[in-house]
């Protein structure tokens, strides 16, 4: 059983900031990449940022320079610091993790999605 708990979403004015967090728990032996995705109404879900187990990061062009992804491996938590928010950042933000269930034969490499947290940027 795996659970992702996302928090930090809300309503902010343009130019404001939010920090999202996603804490993973359950049958996770080893976390690999962790990322944030978002989906705006009527739009496809898109990658926002991803961070590898080694700490390498990648960002969508639309958020580069404004968003920062980080992780705390001791807490199995990934964060997304969002600065200089724009109305077009309005979306449901989803945490996604990639992980191994174990090192034994038959262990699986899986991914799992959080429930999503709403971010609304509006005046």
């Amino acid at each position: 059983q795996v659970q992702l708990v996302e928090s930090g979403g809300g309503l902010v004015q343009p130019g404001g900031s939010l920090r999202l967090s996603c804490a993973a728990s359950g049958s996770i032996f080893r976390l690999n990449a962790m990322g944030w995705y978002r989906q705006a109404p009527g739009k496809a879900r898109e990658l926002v940022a991803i961070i590898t187990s080694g700490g390498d990061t990648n960002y969508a062009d639309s958020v580069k320079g404004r968003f920062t992804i980080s992780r705390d491996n001791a807490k199995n938590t990934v964060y997304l610091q969002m600065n200089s928010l724009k109305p077009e950042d309005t979306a449901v933000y989803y945490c996604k993790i990639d992980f191994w269930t174990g090192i034994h034969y038959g262990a699986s490499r899986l991914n799992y999605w959080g429930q999503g947290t709403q971010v609304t940027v509006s005046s």
Side-chain angles (χ1 to χ4, degrees):
Q1 195 78 21
V2 173
Q3 184 178 16
L4 299 180
V5 179
E6 298 159 320
S7 63
L11 174 64
V12 297
Q13 295 182 336
S17 297
L18 286 173
R19 189 186 72 173
L20 307 183
S21 64
C22 174
S25 62
S27 301
I28 301 171
F29 178 77
R30 180 178 296 158
L31 280 166
N32 300 312
M34 307 176 74
W36 289 95
Y37 296 72
R38 68 186 182 187
Q39 187 166 20
K43 302 293 184 180
R45 188 172 299 185
E46 64 175 348
L47 173 69
V48 176
I50 189 168
I51 183 167
T52 70
S53 60
D56 294 326
T57 59
N58 287 286
Y59 298 90
D61 289 341
S62 59
V63 306
K64 286 181 179 178
R66 300 188 297 119
F67 291 10
T68 302
I69 189 170
S70 61
R71 63 192 289 167
D72 185 336
N73 291 328
K75 298 180 179 180
N76 281 355
T77 300
V78 61
Y79 305 93
L80 185 68
Q81 179 67 46
M82 304 185 294
N83 299 324
S84 302
L85 284 162
K86 304 174 181 179
E88 50 263 44
D89 295 318
T90 296
V92 177
Y93 284 70
Y94 298 90
C95 175
K96 182 185 178 183
I97 62 170
D98 179 87
F99 64 97
W100 285 95
T101 62
I103 60 174
H104 54 84
Y105 185 83
S108 299
R109 183 175 182 175
L110 303 174
N111 56 69
Y112 201 85
W113 293 88
Q115 83 285 352
T117 183
Q118 178 70 48
V119 172
T120 302
V121 185
S122 176
S123 300

